[in-house]
Amino acid sequence: MHPPEMKDETADLAIRQFPFAPVLIVPLSQHLGNPAKPVVREGQEVIRGQTIAEPDGFMSVAMHAPASGLVRRITLAPSITGTKVESVYIEPYPASTQEIDDGEPCGLDATPDEIITAIQHAGIVGLGGAAFPTHVKLKPPEGKRLDTLFINGVECEPYLTTDYRVMLEQTEDVFMGIRYLLRASGTSEVIIAVEANKEDAAERFRSMCPDDLPVTVKVSPVKYPQGAEKMIFSALLGREVPSGGLPADINAICCNVATTAEIGRLLPRGRGIQERVITIGGPGVEKKGNYRIPIGTPVRFALEQCSPAEDLSRVFMGGPMMGPTVSNLDIPITKGTSGITAFTTAETGGATGHKKVYPCIHCARCVEACPVFLNPSQLGILAKNEEYEQMAESWHLMDCFECGACAYVCPSHIPLVQYFRMAKKMVRKLSAA
Amino acid sequence: MARLSRYLEIGSSPHVTDGTSTDVIMLNVFLALLPVTAFAIYAFGTGAALVIVVATASCVLTEHWLCRWTGKPSTIGDWSVAITGLLYGLILPPDLPLWMVFVGGVFGVAVAKFLFGGLGMNAFNAALVARAFLQAAFPQPMTHWQMPFAEGRFEHIPTSVLATPFWEPTYDAVTTATPLALMKFEGQFAGGRELMAGLTSGSVGETCGVLILLGGIYLVARKMMNWRIPASIFLTVAAMTWAFQLYDPVTYPGPVFMLFSGGLMLGAVFMATDMVASPITNAGCWLYGMLIGVLVVVIRFWGGMPEGVMYAILLANAVSPHIDRLIQPRVFGTGRGTE
């Protein structure tokens, strides 16, 4: 499956620093797992880079102040999931030089456990979009051994060019990050995966790779959704993660290239994530680009800085295949936000643009497109009849990772992946009850 | 700095699609049939033209009326019933009385499509059901074959075509036997070149194998047809025929004859590939095609009728859901490649 890549407009634009918004909203839950526990109070002054929330248990990471300023409030704020989450509102000091407060550095001579703790306290999560706490992956379940570390530079979502820019501009940071990850995970081999349309990034890795690193650069075919870790493992390692299993089951771990670069950039200076690189693009904004943006920047501020189009119609985080729609412009950029893409009425068709839904004609396009070989046609019929349990028991619903390929190719415009998202939630609810 | 004040719309991803649409696919299938239709009218004249028009109209109008009658929006705009109607016209004898054509079309769409739940739900190919109905109801007119390229075929309308409903039709056109009937009852095999070019008699649109193949190639190139179904049918029929011919070349014809005679080409390319009534997996499609191929050969060689494509496809349609139950894609992370 090959959706148009749409990366040309931002691919050649270097990463630029984004200005500070008047208010930054830092949610305490930007990752999978427990929300962090705030260690600042309302009215307190914070310095940029200072820890403002500590991890709550192992499945949790720290949060850092994205700017020097004042903690205005700690209260519920809207989030991309549609629910409100506890967040720290920080008002940056306009006159501040915004120097970053460095913490205790973590050197490469640290023990694996010390590195894992440092990664957790640097607030590092998967920056590719899933926002899974990175340090958790580095500690495989009892009895599992990791041998191969994948660095994922396959950015297969249309419009997004953040990983591409990071690969070109932060190549040294990536190698430094690999050193930390190798030591922490005990892996002995590194494969950097890059898509064939980013040959220059692959070449840069090859030419700049230090001799002592066990790195192979592998180029994967341009294909959606090649960037999903399961797809990378099977394409480049020939191993399939078992249904319902973890990458550790095939002795591999996968780390996004931007996450790796941040580990390499932050740990030597004892810093935490207080900003990240995102692509702001799509036909709905004029000043497209790749920006290093403070965590907590509201989407409204980000768009307003980039000259939004008059007939803006839909805004979503990340790319158009999997990106969740922004339902409220006061939602902040979080660690898992890889981009903001804006569409105008020309792309969405406006209020009358909804495509007519036809019955399923069994054309099998979805079956061809599904990367995990499900039968979306059958699942769609069951979902329509609300037979969620049968979908899970007989048709492997829970193996769907919601890449959206089925809905993209469906000529009858059946909202397949949308049905499956809902069905998965229903199944989880039913099995919890 | 621009101020954002507009209302934004909310929708679940993906926010883009590849632009295909069911009605566009159906329209393309319809277009792919037009060269075959033009050749049919050229070969058989005004009778064939009338049969095709009435067949298409009866199917389209039936669907339209039924939708209206049941208080639903008409679904003729998705072009699927137009394909059914045109295909139905193409598999009828060229001098069939028009009232029979009409009755068959109403029956096919009402029973095989509408009663099953409309587009996407029809277990059987509606055009074939309509023809099977006529075959049972009017066996004689359904096996009456006009000579192709007859003199004056554009000047006058065959009397049988305009026959009064429920009266025995009278025939004035020159008739002949189809190549399959000659094979079955006379032991004569028509030549391959003659069959491919459509110089023999038969149903309106089944005679010119080359044009049918071109239509199929167009649809395959536009990814609107699963080529595995016709390929599987062709390979199965050719392999079986070749084996029998090797065994007894006097009784059994060769693969070229079998592939290009009767309704095999039209059936394999345009009717067995009906997406709704065929299996969804590629492996299933191979099996489904093999089943059709075997049935065609068995009915043609040892059945009571000279032609078996229609029943072969209808029987395979019935088996198709079971093939889907038997053959499903191997889900990622199960079986092969998993440790």
Side-chain angles (χ1 to χ4, degrees):
Chain A
M1 226 198 79
H2 305 94
E5 292 167 32
M6 314 300 277
K7 294 177 192 272
D8 290 350
E9 284 186 300
T10 54
D12 296 330
L13 302 176
I15 300 169
R16 288 193 295 157
Q17 188 69 40
F18 209 77
F20 289 97
V23 176
L24 298 171
I25 306 159
V26 184
L28 294 171
S29 178
Q30 304 182 22
H31 49 261
L32 294 174
N34 299 334
K37 282 187 299 195
V39 293
V40 291
R41 56 189 161 68
E42 293 183 353
Q44 184 178 334
E45 281 188 308
V46 289
I47 307 174
R48 186 175 177 207
Q50 175 186 339
T51 303
I52 56 171
E54 296 274 6
D56 180 18
F58 187 63
M59 192 65 182
S60 181
V61 297
M63 299 292 160
H64 301 79
S68 297
L70 203 63
V71 175
R72 270 283 166 221
R73 294 186 284 164
I74 301 176
T75 183
L76 293 176
S79 80
I80 190 69
T81 58
T83 53
K84 289 193 167 184
V85 296
E86 181 140 56
S87 308
V88 181
Y89 284 69
I90 294 174
E91 208 176 277
Y93 288 141
S96 165
T97 54
Q98 298 293 357
E99 294 291 328
I100 298 172
D101 178 36
D102 285 358
E104 193 68 37
C106 172
L108 278 167
D109 49 354
T111 64
D113 279 338
E114 283 168 354
I115 295 175
I116 289 175
T117 310
I119 289 175
Q120 182 182 18
H121 285 269
I124 292 165
V125 299
L127 299 179
F132 187 84
T134 304
H135 68 278
V136 177
K137 287 197 224 179
L138 296 171
K139 256 207 161 15
E142 281 302 316
K144 301 279 182 199
R145 156 192 73 82
L146 301 175
D147 59 24
T148 315
L149 166 67
F150 276 83
I151 305 299
N152 184 355
V154 179
E155 197 172 35
C156 60
E157 269 275 4
Y159 292 100
L160 302 185
T161 51
T162 65
D163 289 349
Y164 175 65
R165 288 317 305 178
V166 166
M167 288 192 279
L168 292 183
E169 296 180 38
Q170 290 184 255
T171 324
E172 302 279 2
D173 292 340
V174 174
F175 287 124
M176 183 54 89
I178 288 172
R179 288 181 194 278
Y180 281 105
L181 288 171
L182 274 174
R183 189 158 167 78
S185 64
T187 47
S188 53
E189 201 192 331
V190 185
I191 296 174
I192 301 182
V194 180
E195 242 182 337
N197 57 0
K198 304 177 192 81
E199 190 56 57
D200 48 344
E203 194 43 53
R204 205 171 154 80
F205 280 128
R206 280 192 206 104
S207 62
M208 288 178 64
C209 181
D211 292 332
D212 63 318
L213 278 183
V215 169
T216 334
V217 181
K218 287 197 179 173
V219 175
S220 74
V222 182
K223 193 172 142 193
Y224 185 85
Q226 194 65 54
E229 61 179 18
K230 283 183 177 185
M231 298 299 113
I232 295 184
F233 294 144
S234 84
L236 300 182
L237 201 60
R239 298 182 197 161
E240 287 188 5
V241 178
S243 166
L246 291 169
D249 294 332
I250 56 164
N251 311 325
I253 62 166
C254 183
C255 203
N256 167 270
V257 73
T259 314
T260 312
E262 285 305 275
I263 292 171
R265 192 172 74 92
L266 299 173
L267 259 53
R269 291 187 262 188
R271 288 183 185 172
I273 292 190
Q274 83 281 341
E275 54 190 15
R276 66 154 298 155
V277 180
I278 69 167
T279 302
I280 301 182
V285 289
E286 207 174 295
K287 291 185 197 155
K288 305 174 194 5
N290 302 297
Y291 300 101
R292 186 168 283 283
I293 193 166
I295 300 293
T297 307
V299 172
R300 182 190 303 277
F301 179 82
L303 284 175
E304 282 173 353
Q305 295 293 314
C306 296
S307 308
E310 270 300 306
D311 56 344
L312 205 62
S313 115
R314 194 185 278 207
V315 177
F316 41 90
M317 303 278 210
M321 293 302 293
M322 292 182 78
T325 311
V326 171
S327 56
N328 180 334
L329 288 172
D330 298 317
I331 289 171
I333 305 288
T334 63
K335 294 173 184 176
T337 309
S338 48
I340 300 176
T341 310
F343 275 5
T344 64
T345 43
E347 284 76 44
T348 59
T352 55
H354 295 288
K355 298 203 172 76
K356 186 172 176 189
V357 176
Y358 291 100
C360 172
I361 55 164
H362 301 230
C363 68
R365 278 166 196 243
C366 54
V367 177
E368 296 265 284
C370 182
V372 288
F373 316 127
L374 303 179
N375 184 338
S377 160
Q378 182 66 31
L379 282 166
I381 291 164
L382 291 171
K384 208 175 169 190
N385 297 334
E386 301 181 10
E387 300 193 43
Y388 303 124
E389 274 159 327
Q390 201 193 334
M391 290 169 76
E393 280 158 23
S394 313
W395 298 92
H396 290 266
L397 170 69
M398 301 319 262
D399 283 303
C400 169
F401 65 86
E402 303 171 23
C403 70
C406 49
Y408 177 82
V409 296
C410 181
S412 287
H413 312 130
I414 299 169
L416 292 167
V417 72
Q418 293 90 334
Y419 275 148
F420 306 156
R421 271 189 206 116
M422 198 172 69
K424 282 169 78 176
K425 287 216 172 82
M426 291 304 292
V427 169
R428 289 204 187 98
K429 224 175 213 177
L430 289 170
S431 60
Chain B
M1 196 164 77
R3 282 261 150 219
L4 287 167
S5 57
R6 285 178 51 87
Y7 287 107
L8 294 180
E9 62 170 68
I10 299 173
S12 189
S13 62
H15 308 289
V16 286
T17 64
D18 72 355
T20 51
S21 185
T22 294
D23 53 342
V24 174
I25 294 178
M26 295 295 174
L27 176 61
N28 273 281
V29 177
F30 188 84
L31 293 177
L33 279 168
L34 289 184
V36 181
T37 310
F39 179 85
I41 293 170
Y42 173 68
F44 293 105
T46 43
L50 286 169
V51 165
I52 290 170
V53 168
V54 171
T56 312
S58 67
C59 289
V60 173
L61 289 175
T62 304
E63 181 157 310
H64 186 71
W65 285 334
L66 285 170
C67 284
R68 283 295 169 88
W69 183 54
T70 51
K72 286 183 274 193
S74 176
T75 50
I76 58 172
D78 64 28
W79 284 91
S80 74
V81 75
I83 299 173
T84 302
L86 184 56
L87 271 176
Y88 166 59
L90 293 176
I91 53 177
L92 295 175
D95 52 4
L96 191 71
L98 293 180
W99 71 270
M100 293 181 187
V101 176
F102 187 83
V103 169
V106 172
F107 179 89
V109 170
V111 173
K113 188 173 179 193
F114 199 80
L115 278 187
F116 276 82
L119 177 63
M121 303 300 290
N122 51 299
F124 298 97
N125 184 303
L128 286 175
V129 172
R131 190 189 195 278
F133 169 76
L134 292 184
Q135 185 90 55
F138 312 109
Q140 262 121 37
M142 285 299 286
T143 48
H144 200 273
W145 307 105
Q146 182 187 324
M147 188 84 142
F149 306 104
E151 285 288 324
R153 62 188 183 279
F154 298 115
E155 277 87 57
H156 88 290
I157 301 169
T159 50
S160 60
V161 168
L162 298 175
T164 324
F166 307 108
W167 288 79
E168 191 76 19
T170 52
Y171 288 94
D172 60 350
V174 185
T175 64
T176 176
T178 62
L180 280 169
L182 288 174
M183 184 260 309
K184 184 125 207 151
F185 305 119
E186 316 282 336
Q188 297 171 15
F189 310 138
R193 204 177 306 161
E194 212 183 337
L195 288 166
M196 285 182 218
L199 303 179
T200 59
S201 78
S203 295
V204 169
E206 71 179 23
T207 55
C208 187
V210 173
L211 286 178
I212 296 167
L213 272 180
L214 284 179
I217 289 167
Y218 167 77
L219 291 175
V220 168
R222 298 217 48 189
K223 295 193 164 64
M224 291 173 177
M225 176 186 287
N226 192 338
W227 57 269
R228 291 164 191 87
I229 295 173
S232 170
I233 296 174
F234 296 157
L235 287 174
T236 309
V237 169
M240 281 182 77
T241 317
W242 178 78
F244 280 112
Q245 200 196 21
L246 219 58
Y247 168 72
D248 181 1
V250 179
T251 320
Y252 299 111
V256 174
F257 174 87
M258 284 290 276
L259 290 181
F260 286 92
S261 62
L264 190 115
M265 207 38 80
L266 190 64
V269 175
F270 283 101
M271 282 181 283
T273 52
D274 182 337
M275 292 166 177
V276 181
S278 60
I280 201 156
T281 60
N282 287 336
C285 285
W286 282 109
L287 185 63
Y288 167 85
M290 274 161 61
L291 179 66
I292 293 174
V294 170
L295 286 171
V296 167
V297 174
V298 167
I299 297 175
R300 278 188 181 178
F301 283 176
W302 302 293
M305 300 162 293
E307 175 60 310
V309 171
M310 174 176 77
Y311 290 116
I313 295 175
L314 286 173
L315 284 169
N317 284 165
V319 177
S320 169
H322 302 286
I323 294 179
D324 270 344
R325 223 166 32 193
L326 191 74
I327 301 178
Q328 279 297 319
R330 181 195 60 85
V331 173
F332 190 96
T334 60
R336 180 178 61 81
T338 317
E339 285 170 24

